[in-house]
Amino acid sequence: MSRDKKRVCPVEQAGSLDNRLRWWLQRPDRLLAPLLKEGMSCIDLGCGPGFFTIEMARLVGDTGQVHAVDLQEGMLQKVKQKLRGGALGARVTTHKCEANRIGLELKADFALAFFMVHEVPDQTAFFTEVAGMLKPGGRLLVVEPPFHVSRKEFFAMAGLANALGYSILDSPRISFCKSLLLQRM
């Protein structure tokens, strides 16, 4: 991939990741409700300002846990600000990852990688590390923007994930996106 495709969205542009138009197009409630249940442990990889994190916390309920992961401390601070004083705060932990390593030691039921895999410098290492963080049978939803990831690149990513031990369960319809629902074997 070209160098500019690896560029991470800066904190100063967090508003473009968390607004009414995006909510209307990508509806976190509708997208995640079929995938998450009360009591699940989930990871929001590249959580940004928490667009999906908050809905994940609602869906996993009082007995569930969401791990919001981002490379930028500023994005994690935005998540914390959203949760401040609310009941959902106890369900969410934040974690600052490194550019080439997530660095979480846990076993989760579900992970979300929304608009971020194309930014990862080493996708083989990424998919391998995420597999290690998922329980057997755990699922990973990968969603990529068509304006940054070509069809050819997306199919190559799917092939890589499959070669690394994920089975492809579905390609959920998400407006203006390419998506894969993967399961750890």
Side-chain angles (χ1 to χ4, degrees):
M1 286 187 206
S2 69
R3 183 182 184 127
D4 59 333
K5 288 188 180 185
K6 301 281 188 208
R7 192 176 70 84
V8 176
C9 182
V11 175
E12 298 77 29
Q13 293 179 12
S16 68
L17 300 174
D18 196 1
N19 58 60
R20 289 189 188 276
L21 177 60
R22 184 175 184 202
W23 187 87
W24 184 76
L25 289 173
Q26 296 173 340
R27 295 292 304 263
D29 54 342
R30 289 186 185 163
L31 174 67
L32 296 170
L35 302 170
L36 302 182
K37 295 179 181 148
E38 174 94 24
M40 289 178 83
S41 174
C42 303
I43 310 166
D44 188 359
L45 298 160
C47 66
F51 183 75
F52 292 99
T53 306
I54 304 305
E55 190 60 33
M56 291 171 90
R58 284 189 187 104
L59 291 168
V60 299
D62 291 332
T63 59
Q65 187 67 42
V66 177
H67 304 274
V69 178
D70 206 278
L71 182 63
Q72 300 174 86
E73 185 61 38
M75 291 294 195
L76 297 173
Q77 290 303 319
K78 290 187 177 297
V79 172
K80 290 175 185 176
Q81 288 170 0
K82 281 183 173 182
L83 295 167
R84 191 167 293 140
L88 299 178
R91 302 175 193 175
V92 178
T93 59
T94 58
H95 174 76
K96 186 179 181 301
C97 64
E98 299 172 25
N100 59 353
R101 186 169 183 272
I102 300 164
L104 279 178
E105 299 292 327
L106 54 87
K107 291 294 181 187
D109 301 292
F110 177 81
L112 174 67
F114 205 101
F115 282 20
M116 58 81 55
V117 176
H118 68 277
E119 298 174 347
V120 173
D122 184 345
Q123 291 182 6
T124 298
F126 171 79
F127 282 117
T128 301
E129 187 174 8
V130 172
M133 293 186 302
L134 290 173
K135 295 175 183 175
R139 294 178 175 191
L140 168 62
L141 178 61
V142 175
V143 183
E144 289 292 294
F147 44 89
H148 285 302
V149 180
S150 71
R151 183 180 169 117
K152 181 180 177 181
E153 290 169 326
F154 191 74
F155 284 126
M157 181 189 310
L160 175 63
N162 190 247
L164 293 171
Y166 291 89
S167 58
I168 300 171
L169 299 178
D170 195 8
S171 182
R173 289 193 64 155
I174 303 167
S175 297
F176 307 108
C177 300
K178 295 175 174 96
S179 67
L180 287 173
L181 180 59
L182 304 170
Q183 185 170 32
R184 178 180 176 248
M185 294 193 250

